[in-house]
Structures are given as C-alpha cells and as structure tokens.
C-alpha cells in the first residue's frame, strides 16, 4: 500500500539495522517453507533498490491502489503456477513481531486438520500469519478492494482451524507512534535477524 497514514514507505523504516520489510522477509526465509514470494506495490522501485531480498521471489502488483485484495491475487497467482505447493502462509510486511514458533505450530495443526485455513489466536485475538490450503486460493483471488481474508474467514468459521498461541498479537506498523514503539523495542521478541544475512 501507499503508507498514507505514515506519509512515507513503511517498508523502508530502519529496524535492527535493516529496512523493516527486509527484516520481515529474512525472518520468513528462516521458516520451514520452500519459497517466499514478496508482493510489492507502492514505491516498488525505491524498495527494490534499498533491500536485500535473499532467496525470496519478488512480484510487482501494478494494481496496488485497489487494496490488499490485489496483492493477495498477485501472490497466489505466482504460487498457483507450481502444482507441488499445497499450503501458503500470508504474512504482512509490517508485522515484524511474529514469534518464530508460530509457523511451526500452524504447520503441525495443518498436518492433523482438514480445514482450509489455519490461524493463530494470540491470547484470544486472531491474527497473522494465516496458513491457507490450495483449495481456498481461488476463492481468495476473487476478493476485491482493501479487503483481506479476515472477513471471509469470519463468514465461514467452519473453514478455520484455530491454534492458540501464548503471545501478544504482532503489531501492525501504520503510524508515527507505531514506528516509535517499534524502534523503542515494541516489535515483540522472536524475530531477530539471522546471522550473516
């Protein structure tokens, strides 16, 4: 998105000696995943020039002004081309505080559940990342506007396997106060950058 509330690209906020989005991407690269796809929209050229994406694949969303649904379409379109991928996490680029054990817990739950989405519940609040089975991707790609998957999952609770997590939910970075909290250490522990990256 355009980081309208902040007034400059939130992806490039300096955090732990690297841009915020780079920190998130490199954290996700440490998860038990085969591929990481980063969808860029607003300020894509500036972000590409400033960041090290490691082994992540970058996809450009030219329709970013429509809202988050357009980014979901782009990301799932890239993943759907590989018939061997059956599960996908959706991770927000402005949430650096996802505890490292959460993706493992969601994958463990997916191994024993047939539900279409596996979502963490942080002390009674559902948040990210959400793990989606391939059978739901096409439906997610029909979403429009600034609407993510939350409303769809709320409308279909039988699609969702919830996993309880004993952490506070990761914070979005949307305002100058959020940035100040993040820099002061409010991004939550558990996502320290990997050594040597």
């Amino acid at each position: 998105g355009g980081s309208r509330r902040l007034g400059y690209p939130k992806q490039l906020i300096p955090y732990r000696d690297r841009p915020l989005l780079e920190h998130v991407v490199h954290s996700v690269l440490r998860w038990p995943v085969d591929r990481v796809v980063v969808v860029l929209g607003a300020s894509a050229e500036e972000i590409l020039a400033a960041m090290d994406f490691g082994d992540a694949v970058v996809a450009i969303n030219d329709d970013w002004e429509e809202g988050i649904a357009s980014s979901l379409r782009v990301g799932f379109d890239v993943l759907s081309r590989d018939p061997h991928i059956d599960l996908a996490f959706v991770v927000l680029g402005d949430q650096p505080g996802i505890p490292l054990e959460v993706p493992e817990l969601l994958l463990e739950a997916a191994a024993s559940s047939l539900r279409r989405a596996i979502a963490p519940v942080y002390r009674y609040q559902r948040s990210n990342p959400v793990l989606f089975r391939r059978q739901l991707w096409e439906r997610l790609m029909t979403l429009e506007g600034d609407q993510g998957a939350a409303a769809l999952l709320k409308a279909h609770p039988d699609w969702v396997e919830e996993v309880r997590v004993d952490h506070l939910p990761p914070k979005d970075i949307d305002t100058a106060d959020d940035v100040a909290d993040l820099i002061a250490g409010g991004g939550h522990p558990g996502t320290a950058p990997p050594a040597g990256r």
Side-chain angles (χ1 to χ4, degrees), residues 30-129:
R30 297 168 61 203
W31 294 6
V33 296
D34 296 318
R35 180 179 304 172
V36 175
V37 177
V38 181
V39 179
L40 296 180
S43 307
E45 289 184 18
E46 186 180 353
I47 295 164
L48 283 168
M51 274 189 51
D52 168 17
F53 288 90
D55 294 329
V57 174
V58 176
I60 304 299
N61 174 15
D62 294 322
D63 297 322
W64 63 268
E65 289 185 88
E66 177 193 329
I68 194 169
S70 61
S71 290
L72 288 172
R73 286 198 300 272
V74 170
F76 282 118
D77 180 59
V78 172
L79 292 175
S80 64
R81 297 176 196 183
D82 186 336
H84 301 104
I85 299 175
D86 295 319
L87 295 163
F89 286 106
V90 171
V91 184
L92 302 186
D94 66 345
Q95 285 188 340
I98 295 171
L100 288 174
E101 70 267 25
V102 168
E104 296 260 9
L105 291 171
L106 299 182
L107 287 168
E108 286 173 17
S112 60
S113 171
L114 296 177
R115 296 195 181 201
R116 301 177 191 187
I118 317 295
V121 177
Y122 298 85
R123 298 188 186 172
Y124 310 106
Q125 180 180 339
R126 189 184 288 173
S127 188
N128 294 298

Side-chain angles (χ1 to χ4, degrees), residues 161-173:
E161 183 74 38
E162 292 187 334
V163 177
R164 302 284 170 187
V165 179
D166 190 23
H167 289 277
L168 292 171
K171 285 183 64 173
D172 291 0
I173 309 302

